Amino acid sequence: MTTTASATAPVADARALGLAHYAARGVLEPVLAEHGMTFQQQIVLRAAVTADVPQTPDDLITQVQGALKADPADVRATLDELLAEQLLVADGAHLRSTDAGHELLAAVGAETAPVTARIWGGIPAEDLAAAGRVLALVTERANTELAALTA
């Protein structure tokens, strides 16, 4: 039986956003664990692999800290783990993913692709576009509030 959101679905709010995040993360984390990887390691490695230009360690730490709101020292420790596991290597002042790093992300992506397709499949494009706009606005506003709190 396939379930879909009904016309009486709750209005999007912080709780709904959190529940969606943790439900999706709950699907991903067992796959990562099978590969000996944590959520934060996957985020840091993906940031390095998908960067348009080579990243320095500080670039990656700043990017991941901004995305996850994680302690920079924790992100640095995660980066050190990826270097120790040779998923990332230093290339002068920059970091690059190794073949093993690319292969690991590809394996995780391949394993989660069918689940991702079932989760996202069938959602009309206009709904995804609207959700994307709302989430981008919520993210922008939350980042502004966080900056004010930490100023």
Side-chain angles (χ1 to χ4, degrees):
M1 175 178 156
T2 302
T3 59
T4 58
S6 70
T8 60
V11 173
D13 61 11
R15 181 178 183 276
L17 174 62
L19 291 173
H21 163 77
Y22 284 110
R25 188 169 167 174
V27 170
L28 175 61
E29 287 197 355
V31 175
L32 294 173
E34 287 175 16
H35 292 277
M37 184 173 229
T38 67
F39 181 76
Q40 189 158 301
Q41 287 173 332
Q42 183 256 351
I43 297 295
V44 174
L45 183 58
R46 185 168 305 283
V49 167
T50 60
D52 292 334
V53 296
Q55 301 288 295
T56 67
D58 287 343
D59 293 336
L60 279 175
I61 290 166
T62 299
Q63 180 183 350
V64 172
Q65 188 278 327
L68 296 182
K69 311 307 182 241
D71 182 320
D74 291 341
V75 179
R76 167 96 42 207
T78 299
L79 187 58
D80 290 343
E81 293 165 2
L82 295 171
L83 287 162
E85 294 172 19
Q86 296 184 333
L87 298 171
L88 291 175
V89 293
D91 186 5
H94 297 94
L95 299 173
R96 66 175 175 77
S97 176
T98 63
D99 289 343
H102 282 281
E103 290 167 9
L104 179 56
L105 284 181
V108 169
E111 288 180 46
T112 57
V115 176
T116 300
R118 289 191 299 273
I119 292 169
W120 291 92
I123 300 174
E126 61 272 10
D127 289 351
L128 292 173
R133 288 189 302 273
V134 169
L135 292 172
L137 181 58
V138 167
T139 300
E140 178 185 327
R141 289 177 177 180
N143 283 334
T144 298
E145 291 296 324
L146 181 59
L149 288 171
T150 58

